[in-house]
Amino acid sequence: MHAIIETGGNQYRVSDGDMPFIEKLEAEAGNEVTFDRVLAIINGETTNFGAPTVAGAKVTAEVVKNGRAKKIIVYKMKPKKNYRRKQGHRQPYTQVKISKITV
């Protein structure tokens, strides 16, 4: 069984036991979180799409860790104008372990 959930402005396809990296949640490691914005449920041959969400469906997950991704460099430059800006960015994330999908 798979589910498509929406959190942090992104959509993720998850199943039991998956450990996706999602946008940062305000939860400590070891806490349990539930995602109630379930857009679709895929169960073998049958699929159930919501309009916009599936009524009564939710996905339960456990927070594994919070962290920050590798640094990316944002570099802006305009040629011949002596304009150069170098900036680093590390995106915060939360890793969760999907424990149960209920319909």
Side-chain angles (χ1 to χ4, degrees):
M1 178 182 285
H2 296 280
I4 298 176
I5 62 170
E6 179 184 359
T7 178
N10 296 320
Q11 296 176 4
Y12 302 93
R13 179 179 176 165
V14 296
S15 62
D16 289 340
D18 283 353
M19 297 180 68
F21 292 94
I22 62 174
E23 292 295 319
K24 185 171 184 339
L25 298 175
E26 295 300 323
E28 296 295 322
N31 289 357
E32 192 171 273
V33 293
T34 59
F35 302 105
D36 53 354
R37 294 215 22 105
V38 179
L39 304 178
I41 299 287
I42 301 130
N43 191 2
E45 296 293 318
T46 62
T47 57
N48 186 4
F49 295 102
T53 60
V54 178
K58 62 183 173 182
V59 175
T60 307
E62 178 186 346
V63 176
V64 176
K65 68 177 181 175
N66 291 315
R68 296 188 345 172
K70 287 189 173 183
K71 182 181 278 192
I72 63 166
I73 303 298
V74 181
Y75 188 73
K76 298 179 181 181
M77 184 187 108
K78 295 191 179 176
K80 302 179 207 161
K81 302 297 179 192
N82 198 20
Y83 174 81
R84 291 173 180 84
R85 299 290 179 265
K86 184 177 179 181
Q87 179 182 4
H89 176 75
R90 292 183 69 186
Q91 184 69 24
Y93 67 82
T94 299
Q95 186 178 20
V96 295
K97 181 173 186 190
I98 305 299
S99 57
K100 184 169 42 171
I101 299 173
T102 58
V103 181

XYZ file of all heavy atoms in Angstrom:
805
model
N 0.846 -1.175 0.000
C 0.000 0.000 0.000
C 0.892 1.239 0.000
O 1.847 1.336 0.761
C -0.902 -0.002 1.233
C -1.782 1.229 1.314
S -2.808 1.310 2.779
C -4.039 0.118 2.381
N 0.569 2.178 -0.868
C 1.285 3.444 -0.979
C 0.302 4.579 -0.727
O -0.905 4.433 -0.909
C 1.885 3.627 -2.380
C 2.922 2.622 -2.730
N 4.219 2.714 -2.301
C 2.855 1.491 -3.463
C 4.906 1.697 -2.760
N 4.095 0.925 -3.473
N 0.844 5.711 -0.325
C 0.044 6.919 -0.147
C 0.843 8.097 -0.670
O 2.066 8.111 -0.623
C -0.307 7.132 1.316
N 0.125 9.085 -1.183
C 0.741 10.339 -1.604
C 0.292 11.388 -0.597
O -0.895 11.671 -0.473
C 0.349 10.713 -3.035
C 0.838 9.645 -3.999
C 0.921 12.084 -3.396
C 0.431 9.852 -5.430
N 1.278 11.944 0.133
C 0.974 12.938 1.161
C 1.557 14.282 0.753
O 2.473 14.347 -0.061
C 1.518 12.519 2.541
C 3.044 12.387 2.510
C 0.888 11.240 3.020
C 3.664 12.206 3.869
N 0.996 15.330 1.334
C 1.500 16.679 1.089
C 1.907 17.280 2.426
O 1.133 17.275 3.378
C 0.430 17.549 0.439
C 0.890 18.961 0.183
C -0.207 19.838 -0.379
O -1.323 19.362 -0.589
O 0.078 21.031 -0.580
N 3.148 17.768 2.479
C 3.630 18.453 3.664
C 4.733 19.417 3.268
O 5.556 19.102 2.407
C 4.143 17.468 4.741
O 4.636 18.215 5.847
C 5.235 16.574 4.227
N 4.721 20.581 3.839
C 5.743 21.579 3.549
C 5.729 22.067 2.120
O 6.751 22.502 1.609
N 4.575 21.997 1.446
C 4.483 22.457 0.062
C 4.973 21.446 -0.956
O 4.997 21.742 -2.149
N 5.360 20.240 -0.520
C 5.828 19.199 -1.432
C 4.968 17.956 -1.272
O 4.330 17.750 -0.244
C 7.288 18.831 -1.130
C 8.223 19.983 -1.360
O 8.075 20.723 -2.326
N 9.182 20.155 -0.473
N 4.980 17.105 -2.309
C 4.239 15.856 -2.282
C 5.221 14.697 -2.264
O 6.241 14.728 -2.947
C 3.329 15.747 -3.507
C 2.263 16.814 -3.549
C 1.434 16.763 -4.818
O 1.607 15.873 -5.647
N 0.530 17.715 -4.967
N 4.912 13.671 -1.470
C 5.779 12.512 -1.313
C 4.955 11.245 -1.475
O 3.860 11.141 -0.927
C 6.434 12.507 0.074
C 7.247 13.740 0.372
C 6.689 14.829 1.018
C 8.579 13.830 -0.010
C 7.423 15.962 1.291
C 9.325 14.958 0.250
C 8.741 16.016 0.900
O 9.475 17.147 1.162
N 5.509 10.253 -2.190
C 4.887 8.942 -2.284
C 5.565 8.059 -1.243
O 6.779 7.837 -1.303
C 5.072 8.348 -3.673
C 4.460 6.981 -3.806
C 4.629 6.431 -5.191
N 4.115 5.077 -5.242
C 3.856 4.437 -6.356
N 4.078 5.017 -7.519
N 3.381 3.208 -6.315
N 4.793 7.557 -0.282
C 5.356 6.813 0.836
C 4.638 5.482 1.002
O 3.494 5.308 0.556
C 5.263 7.614 2.159
C 6.090 8.874 2.096
C 3.823 7.937 2.499
N 5.327 4.541 1.619
C 4.734 3.269 2.017
C 5.283 2.921 3.396
O 6.142 3.620 3.931
C 5.046 2.174 0.998
O 6.438 1.970 0.927
N 4.807 1.823 3.981
C 5.256 1.427 5.314
C 6.754 1.167 5.315
O 7.279 0.475 4.455
C 4.523 0.164 5.776
C 3.067 0.442 6.107
O 2.741 1.610 6.336
O 2.272 -0.520 6.143
N 7.453 1.729 6.295
C 8.885 1.514 6.430
C 9.762 2.511 5.697
O 10.979 2.501 5.869
N 9.192 3.367 4.854
C 9.988 4.372 4.142
C 10.533 5.409 5.123
O 9.935 5.669 6.166
C 9.151 5.087 3.082
C 8.940 4.237 1.844
O 9.548 3.156 1.762
O 8.163 4.670 0.969
N 11.673 6.009 4.759
C 12.293 7.036 5.594
C 12.615 8.270 4.751
O 13.776 8.544 4.463
C 13.551 6.492 6.258
C 13.276 5.346 7.208
S 14.728 4.698 8.006
C 15.177 6.042 9.056
N 11.598 9.050 4.341
C 11.866 10.212 3.485
C 12.388 11.408 4.288
O 12.142 11.540 5.486
C 10.489 10.518 2.899
C 9.538 10.062 3.942
C 10.176 8.843 4.568
N 13.131 12.263 3.599
C 13.558 13.550 4.138
C 12.519 14.575 3.707
O 12.314 14.789 2.510
C 14.936 13.939 3.596
C 16.050 13.053 4.081
C 16.462 11.965 3.349
C 16.682 13.321 5.287
C 17.487 11.156 3.788
C 17.715 12.521 5.741
C 18.115 11.435 4.990
N 11.857 15.215 4.664
C 10.815 16.190 4.350
C 11.222 17.547 4.899
O 12.222 17.679 5.605
C 9.449 15.747 4.920
C 9.502 15.642 6.444
C 9.023 14.418 4.323
C 8.167 15.357 7.081
N 10.424 18.567 4.589
C 10.679 19.900 5.113
C 10.599 19.876 6.634
O 9.863 19.093 7.221
C 9.666 20.902 4.557
C 9.811 21.165 3.082
C 11.114 21.840 2.714
O 11.548 22.762 3.442
O 11.696 21.451 1.699
N 11.346 20.755 7.290
C 11.494 20.727 8.739
C 10.154 20.837 9.453
O 9.333 21.699 9.154
C 12.396 21.880 9.177
C 12.711 21.851 10.667
C 13.776 22.865 10.974
C 14.249 22.884 12.383
N 13.464 22.348 13.406
N 9.956 19.931 10.421
C 8.782 19.951 11.285
C 9.210 20.367 12.688
O 10.342 20.123 13.103
C 8.145 18.560 11.359
C 7.620 17.964 10.064
C 7.140 16.545 10.316
C 6.498 18.804 9.501
N 8.294 20.968 13.428
C 8.576 21.350 14.813
C 8.281 20.167 15.721
O 7.321 20.170 16.486
C 7.738 22.574 15.199
C 8.078 23.821 14.431
C 9.521 24.260 14.623
O 10.052 24.118 15.743
O 10.118 24.723 13.639
N 9.097 19.127 15.633
C 8.944 17.933 16.463
C 10.325 17.389 16.787
O 11.237 17.462 15.965
C 8.118 16.886 15.739
N 10.467 16.861 17.986
C 11.736 16.296 18.417
C 11.878 14.860 17.917
O 10.893 14.216 17.571
C 11.816 16.318 19.946
C 11.805 17.705 20.546
C 13.019 18.518 20.170
O 14.123 17.953 20.100
O 12.858 19.730 19.922
N 13.111 14.363 17.904
C 13.367 12.985 17.495
C 12.685 12.031 18.470
O 12.733 12.225 19.680
C 14.866 12.719 17.454
N 12.016 11.019 17.938
C 11.286 10.056 18.758
C 9.804 10.356 18.871
O 9.029 9.477 19.248
N 9.383 11.576 18.545
C 7.961 11.921 18.593
C 7.223 11.316 17.408
O 7.810 11.006 16.384
C 7.764 13.436 18.594
C 8.194 14.074 19.892
O 8.583 13.398 20.820
N 8.141 15.391 19.938
N 5.910 11.180 17.559
C 5.069 10.659 16.495
C 4.293 11.803 15.857
O 3.773 12.672 16.567
C 4.104 9.618 17.060
C 3.388 8.820 16.005
C 2.616 7.665 16.610
O 3.213 6.596 16.790
O 1.421 7.865 16.891
N 4.239 11.819 14.527
C 3.493 12.845 13.803
C 2.501 12.157 12.876
O 2.713 11.023 12.444
C 4.430 13.771 12.985
C 5.290 14.609 13.884
C 5.288 12.981 12.026
N 1.404 12.848 12.574
C 0.421 12.320 11.637
C 0.241 13.321 10.506
O 0.215 14.533 10.733
C -0.938 12.059 12.316
O -1.413 13.284 12.872
C -0.817 11.014 13.402
N 0.127 12.789 9.305
C -0.130 13.604 8.118
C -1.556 13.320 7.679
O -1.893 12.201 7.294
C 0.851 13.243 6.996
C 2.300 13.412 7.387
C 3.083 12.304 7.666
C 2.871 14.661 7.484
C 4.408 12.445 8.022
C 4.188 14.819 7.851
C 4.964 13.703 8.118
N -2.411 14.349 7.739
C -3.807 14.144 7.354
C -4.107 14.662 5.951
O -5.209 14.457 5.456
C -4.753 14.780 8.375
C -4.439 16.241 8.627
O -3.433 16.729 8.096
O -5.207 16.879 9.367
N -3.132 15.308 5.313
C -3.322 15.732 3.923
C -2.847 14.607 3.005
O -1.765 14.636 2.453
C -2.566 17.019 3.634
C -3.125 18.186 4.400
C -3.115 19.525 3.725
N -3.051 19.593 2.300
C -4.092 19.891 1.513
N -5.275 20.069 2.034
N -3.935 19.994 0.230
N -3.709 13.578 2.862
C -3.421 12.431 2.007
C -4.145 12.654 0.686
O -5.379 12.740 0.643
C -3.886 11.110 2.672
C -3.600 9.936 1.772
C -3.202 10.936 4.011
N -3.383 12.763 -0.390
C -3.966 13.083 -1.693
C -4.439 11.851 -2.434
O -5.376 11.922 -3.228
C -2.941 13.833 -2.543
C -2.375 15.109 -1.919
C -1.342 15.731 -2.834
C -3.470 16.094 -1.603
N -3.800 10.691 -2.207
C -4.185 9.469 -2.904
C -3.728 8.264 -2.104
O -2.740 8.319 -1.379
C -3.574 9.425 -4.294
N -4.473 7.164 -2.263
C -4.117 5.873 -1.679
C -4.031 4.871 -2.826
O -4.965 4.742 -3.612
C -5.186 5.407 -0.663
C -5.320 6.385 0.489
C -4.876 4.006 -0.169
C -4.189 6.370 1.461
N -2.903 4.176 -2.935
C -2.694 3.178 -3.979
C -2.552 1.830 -3.284
O -1.603 1.625 -2.532
C -1.439 3.493 -4.816
C -1.581 4.872 -5.456
C -1.217 2.442 -5.881
C -0.408 5.743 -5.256
N -3.499 0.935 -3.544
C -3.499 -0.371 -2.896
C -3.623 -1.449 -3.966
O -4.721 -1.852 -4.331
C -4.641 -0.471 -1.884
C -4.522 -1.685 -1.001
O -3.575 -2.446 -1.103
N -5.492 -1.864 -0.129
N -2.491 -1.903 -4.473
C -2.500 -2.932 -5.517
C -3.130 -2.409 -6.799
O -2.625 -1.470 -7.416
N -4.244 -2.987 -7.190
C -4.932 -2.590 -8.423
C -5.870 -1.404 -8.212
O -6.275 -0.765 -9.176
C -5.735 -3.775 -8.977
C -4.875 -4.946 -9.410
C -4.021 -4.613 -10.620
O -4.523 -3.958 -11.554
O -2.846 -5.004 -10.608
N -6.254 -1.128 -6.979
C -7.210 -0.054 -6.725
C -6.492 1.219 -6.293
O -5.519 1.173 -5.546
C -8.207 -0.461 -5.618
O -7.483 -0.685 -4.416
C -8.959 -1.716 -6.007
N -6.992 2.332 -6.777
C -6.471 3.632 -6.367
C -7.639 4.497 -5.920
O -8.735 4.414 -6.474
C -5.718 4.344 -7.512
O -6.603 4.467 -8.626
C -4.494 3.565 -7.919
N -7.395 5.303 -4.916
C -8.421 6.185 -4.381
C -7.850 7.594 -4.349
O -6.958 7.883 -3.563
C -8.824 5.716 -2.969
C -9.985 6.501 -2.419
O -10.555 7.339 -3.097
N -10.321 6.230 -1.178
N -8.345 8.446 -5.233
C -7.878 9.827 -5.306
C -8.851 10.722 -4.578
O -10.058 10.560 -4.668
C -7.753 10.286 -6.766
C -6.703 9.551 -7.532
C -7.045 8.543 -8.409
C -5.370 9.842 -7.359
C -6.077 7.855 -9.112
C -4.384 9.163 -8.041
C -4.744 8.167 -8.929
N -8.327 11.691 -3.849
C -9.168 12.633 -3.136
C -9.425 13.873 -3.959
O -8.783 14.121 -4.976
N -10.400 14.655 -3.490
C -10.715 15.894 -4.179
C -10.873 16.999 -3.144
O -11.988 17.277 -2.762
C -11.977 15.749 -5.011
N -9.855 17.616 -2.612
C -8.433 17.424 -2.870
C -7.787 16.341 -2.012
O -6.705 15.864 -2.321
C -7.819 18.776 -2.531
C -8.697 19.297 -1.448
C -10.081 18.796 -1.771
N -8.410 15.942 -0.871
C -7.800 14.925 -0.024
C -8.753 13.757 0.147
O -9.972 13.886 -0.033
C -7.445 15.478 1.371
O -8.638 15.938 1.999
C -6.440 16.607 1.270
N -8.214 12.598 0.522
C -9.021 11.410 0.789
C -9.610 11.557 2.190
O -8.876 11.772 3.153
C -8.165 10.134 0.690
C -8.989 8.901 1.007
C -7.538 10.019 -0.688
N -10.921 11.440 2.282
C -11.600 11.642 3.563
C -11.274 10.500 4.520
O -11.364 9.332 4.171
C -13.107 11.715 3.349
N -10.858 10.856 5.737
C -10.595 9.871 6.774
C -9.252 9.169 6.687
O -8.929 8.354 7.533
N -8.453 9.468 5.693
C -7.149 8.813 5.549
C -6.082 9.616 6.270
O -6.114 10.846 6.282
C -6.792 8.671 4.077
N -5.142 8.904 6.889
C -4.016 9.574 7.521
C -2.814 8.646 7.525
O -2.945 7.433 7.454
C -4.353 10.061 8.918
C -4.725 8.985 9.888
C -5.100 9.614 11.206
C -5.650 8.549 12.143
N -6.071 9.112 13.415
N -1.643 9.266 7.610
C -0.384 8.538 7.631
C 0.325 8.880 8.938
O 0.485 10.053 9.269
C 0.496 8.909 6.415
C 1.849 8.248 6.505
C -0.202 8.532 5.120
N 0.725 7.858 9.676
C 1.412 8.041 10.944
C 2.893 7.763 10.746
O 3.269 6.798 10.077
C 0.841 7.084 12.006
O -0.567 7.257 12.060
C 1.428 7.365 13.366
N 3.740 8.625 11.323
C 5.184 8.473 11.169
C 5.883 8.848 12.468
O 5.324 9.548 13.311
C 5.695 9.346 10.033
N 7.108 8.367 12.607
C 7.937 8.690 13.768
C 9.122 9.517 13.300
O 9.759 9.204 12.293
C 8.446 7.407 14.425
C 9.348 7.647 15.608
C 9.956 6.366 16.140
O 9.498 5.284 15.775
O 10.919 6.477 16.918
N 9.429 10.599 14.026
C 10.543 11.465 13.668
C 11.852 10.751 14.024
O 12.057 10.347 15.170
C 10.450 12.818 14.398
C 11.667 13.672 14.104
C 9.183 13.549 13.994
N 12.729 10.577 13.031
C 14.019 9.934 13.254
C 15.051 10.966 13.672
O 15.731 10.802 14.687
C 14.481 9.185 11.981
C 15.854 8.596 12.172
C 13.474 8.114 11.601
N 15.173 12.057 12.890
C 16.133 13.095 13.247
C 15.803 14.384 12.520
O 15.110 14.397 11.509
C 17.558 12.675 12.922
C 17.854 12.563 11.435
C 19.316 12.210 11.195
C 19.602 12.131 9.711
N 21.001 11.916 9.431
N 16.314 15.473 13.084
C 16.275 16.780 12.447
C 17.700 17.131 12.058
O 18.645 16.797 12.771
C 15.721 17.850 13.383
C 14.251 17.660 13.659
O 13.479 17.414 12.749
N 13.857 17.752 14.914
N 17.871 17.812 10.948
C 19.214 18.173 10.530
C 19.197 19.229 9.450
O 18.161 19.824 9.159
N 20.375 19.450 8.874
C 20.511 20.401 7.776
C 21.276 19.733 6.653
O 22.230 18.983 6.891
C 21.237 21.662 8.244
C 20.429 22.388 9.294
C 20.913 23.728 9.713
N 22.262 24.101 9.365
C 22.745 25.309 9.553
N 21.995 26.237 10.072
N 23.982 25.591 9.230
N 20.869 20.027 5.428
C 21.469 19.408 4.246
C 22.850 19.998 3.982
O 23.296 20.936 4.650
C 20.559 19.607 3.036
N 23.533 19.450 2.989
C 24.847 19.971 2.614
C 24.717 21.396 2.106
O 23.683 21.798 1.575
C 25.461 19.101 1.524
C 25.934 17.767 2.009
C 26.717 17.062 0.936
C 27.342 15.804 1.479
N 28.167 15.133 0.476
N 25.798 22.144 2.237
C 25.785 23.536 1.841
C 25.805 23.676 0.325
O 26.536 22.969 -0.373
C 26.994 24.263 2.418
C 27.018 25.754 2.084
C 28.222 26.434 2.650
C 27.960 26.761 4.083
N 28.965 27.667 4.649
N 24.963 24.578 -0.177
C 25.025 24.959 -1.587
C 25.499 26.407 -1.648
O 25.282 27.187 -0.719
C 23.675 24.792 -2.313
C 22.617 25.701 -1.708
C 23.230 23.349 -2.299
C 21.391 25.844 -2.558
N 26.155 26.750 -2.725
C 26.679 28.092 -2.912
C 25.792 28.838 -3.897
O 25.529 28.357 -4.997
C 28.127 28.055 -3.445
C 29.027 27.256 -2.508
C 28.676 29.450 -3.659
C 29.137 27.825 -1.116
N 25.308 30.009 -3.487
C 24.521 30.888 -4.354
C 25.454 32.006 -4.780
O 25.911 32.793 -3.954
C 23.298 31.446 -3.608
C 22.488 32.338 -4.516
C 22.458 30.319 -3.040
N 25.758 32.090 -6.078
C 26.717 33.067 -6.581
C 26.041 33.923 -7.634
O 25.496 33.415 -8.610
C 27.936 32.354 -7.179
C 29.065 33.285 -7.540
C 29.846 33.861 -6.559
C 29.341 33.594 -8.868
C 30.883 34.719 -6.876
C 30.374 34.450 -9.198
C 31.137 35.009 -8.204
O 32.157 35.855 -8.512
N 26.045 35.233 -7.424
C 25.467 36.180 -8.374
C 26.586 37.046 -8.925
O 27.469 37.478 -8.177
C 24.436 37.069 -7.698
C 23.263 36.323 -7.133
C 22.319 37.287 -6.464
C 21.144 36.552 -5.876
N 20.206 37.469 -5.236
N 26.529 37.305 -10.228
C 27.557 38.122 -10.845
C 26.994 38.842 -12.069
O 26.198 38.279 -12.803
C 28.724 37.229 -11.296
C 29.886 38.010 -11.862
S 31.132 36.940 -12.568
C 30.866 37.270 -14.293
N 27.388 40.098 -12.208
C 27.060 40.841 -13.420
C 28.369 41.208 -14.086
O 29.196 41.917 -13.498
C 26.246 42.085 -13.084
C 24.899 41.714 -12.506
C 23.976 42.871 -12.409
C 22.655 42.378 -11.841
N 21.718 43.451 -11.620
N 28.580 40.739 -15.306
C 29.873 40.989 -15.948
C 30.097 42.479 -16.225
O 29.163 43.229 -16.509
C 29.795 40.181 -17.240
C 28.355 39.924 -17.470
C 27.691 39.940 -16.148
N 31.348 42.874 -16.111
C 31.819 44.227 -16.411
C 31.295 45.295 -15.454
O 31.493 46.472 -15.689
C 31.454 44.637 -17.845
C 32.009 43.724 -18.904
C 31.585 44.203 -20.271
C 31.541 43.017 -21.199
N 30.745 43.275 -22.355
N 30.601 44.924 -14.398
C 30.031 45.904 -13.470
C 30.606 45.765 -12.057
O 30.147 46.451 -11.144
C 28.507 45.755 -13.379
C 27.804 45.913 -14.700
C 28.012 47.300 -15.240
C 27.319 47.431 -16.593
N 27.724 48.660 -17.272
N 31.560 44.854 -11.855
C 32.184 44.618 -10.562
C 31.144 44.289 -9.484
O 31.229 44.752 -8.349
C 33.039 45.812 -10.139
C 34.032 45.435 -9.046
O 34.338 44.256 -8.884
N 34.518 46.426 -8.323
N 30.126 43.487 -9.845
C 29.085 43.051 -8.910
C 29.215 41.554 -8.713
O 29.026 40.782 -9.659
C 27.694 43.402 -9.455
C 26.563 42.868 -8.625
C 26.138 43.534 -7.475
C 25.902 41.699 -8.984
C 25.099 43.051 -6.722
C 24.863 41.210 -8.224
C 24.461 41.886 -7.090
O 23.422 41.401 -6.330
N 29.580 41.156 -7.504
C 29.710 39.738 -7.184
C 29.189 39.507 -5.764
O 29.571 40.226 -4.846
C 31.162 39.289 -7.278
C 31.686 39.289 -8.686
C 33.178 39.009 -8.709
N 33.675 39.017 -10.075
C 34.026 40.096 -10.738
N 33.932 41.286 -10.159
N 34.467 40.022 -11.968
N 28.321 38.512 -5.597
C 27.802 38.153 -4.283
C 27.888 36.639 -4.129
O 27.397 35.898 -4.972
C 26.344 38.577 -4.115
C 26.091 40.066 -4.218
C 26.666 40.800 -3.013
N 26.444 42.214 -3.103
C 27.307 43.094 -3.592
N 28.470 42.696 -4.057
N 27.033 44.369 -3.627
N 28.508 36.196 -3.047
C 28.629 34.776 -2.757
C 27.945 34.504 -1.426
O 28.237 35.164 -0.433
C 30.094 34.364 -2.695
C 30.302 32.885 -2.494
C 31.777 32.553 -2.527
C 31.990 31.076 -2.302
N 33.413 30.737 -2.305
N 27.016 33.559 -1.433
C 26.238 33.269 -0.237
C 26.044 31.758 -0.137
O 25.814 31.095 -1.142
C 24.881 33.978 -0.325
C 23.982 33.742 0.849
C 22.657 34.441 0.670
O 22.374 35.042 -0.362
N 21.821 34.348 1.687
N 26.131 31.213 1.066
C 25.895 29.797 1.295
C 24.518 29.567 1.893
O 23.940 30.460 2.519
N 23.978 28.367 1.696
C 22.661 28.029 2.247
C 22.628 26.551 2.611
O 23.090 25.704 1.850
C 21.560 28.331 1.215
C 20.204 27.910 1.681
N 19.505 28.616 2.624
C 19.435 26.851 1.349
C 18.353 28.001 2.845
N 18.285 26.929 2.086
N 22.084 26.244 3.801
C 21.857 24.870 4.232
C 20.385 24.737 4.577
O 19.882 25.403 5.480
C 22.712 24.524 5.451
C 24.187 24.475 5.129
C 24.991 24.060 6.315
N 24.732 22.662 6.637
C 25.218 22.054 7.705
N 25.961 22.718 8.560
N 24.957 20.785 7.934
N 19.680 23.874 3.841
C 18.246 23.703 4.027
C 17.971 22.759 5.203
O 18.495 21.646 5.237
C 17.629 23.124 2.745
C 16.127 22.991 2.776
C 15.408 24.312 2.754
O 15.945 25.310 2.288
N 14.199 24.327 3.259
N 17.166 23.178 6.186
C 16.834 22.274 7.284
C 15.840 21.202 6.831
O 14.997 21.445 5.960
C 16.216 23.191 8.336
C 15.733 24.366 7.576
C 16.616 24.509 6.374
N 15.943 20.004 7.415
C 15.058 18.904 7.055
C 14.700 18.097 8.295
O 15.303 18.235 9.355
C 15.695 17.994 6.013
C 16.900 17.218 6.503
C 16.754 16.037 7.220
C 18.183 17.663 6.249
C 17.853 15.339 7.666
C 19.287 16.974 6.694
C 19.110 15.798 7.404
O 20.202 15.113 7.860
N 13.684 17.253 8.142
C 13.300 16.284 9.155
C 13.188 14.940 8.462
O 12.542 14.830 7.423
C 11.949 16.648 9.796
O 12.066 17.924 10.434
C 11.528 15.622 10.825
N 13.827 13.917 9.033
C 13.706 12.570 8.487
C 12.687 11.816 9.331
O 12.779 11.800 10.557
C 15.050 11.839 8.500
C 14.984 10.499 7.814
C 16.317 9.795 7.780
O 17.206 10.106 8.565
N 16.451 8.844 6.887
N 11.700 11.221 8.667
C 10.654 10.483 9.379
C 10.625 9.042 8.877
O 11.045 8.755 7.759
C 9.265 11.128 9.182
C 9.206 12.502 9.794
C 8.872 11.194 7.724
N 10.118 8.153 9.729
C 9.929 6.749 9.349
C 8.440 6.479 9.336
O 7.775 6.617 10.369
C 10.635 5.816 10.320
C 10.462 4.376 9.931
C 11.278 3.451 10.777
C 11.094 2.101 10.143
N 11.542 0.996 10.775
N 7.902 6.093 8.186
C 6.474 5.851 8.035
C 6.123 4.550 8.751
O 6.722 3.502 8.474
C 6.078 5.768 6.542
C 6.533 7.026 5.793
C 4.585 5.564 6.392
C 5.936 8.306 6.284
N 5.158 4.622 9.672
C 4.817 3.431 10.439
C 3.474 2.838 10.046
O 3.317 1.620 10.047
C 4.832 3.730 11.932
O 3.955 4.787 12.220
N 2.480 3.671 9.686
C 1.170 3.128 9.386
C 0.392 4.045 8.444
O 0.442 5.257 8.579
C 0.384 2.948 10.687
C -0.966 2.299 10.510
C -1.637 1.891 11.807
C -1.530 2.881 12.914
N -2.351 2.564 14.089
N -0.319 3.419 7.494
C -1.207 4.147 6.589
C -2.613 3.638 6.862
O -2.885 2.443 6.723
C -0.839 3.906 5.109
C 0.580 4.391 4.833
C -1.837 4.579 4.189
C 1.095 4.041 3.463
N -3.503 4.535 7.289
C -4.886 4.142 7.569
C -5.821 4.848 6.614
O -5.626 6.006 6.271
C -5.285 4.488 9.015
O -5.110 5.875 9.219
C -4.429 3.722 10.007
N -6.852 4.128 6.210
C -7.836 4.666 5.258
C -9.128 4.932 5.971
O -9.598 4.187 6.760
C -8.072 3.698 4.089
C -9.065 4.277 3.102
C -6.769 3.386 3.408
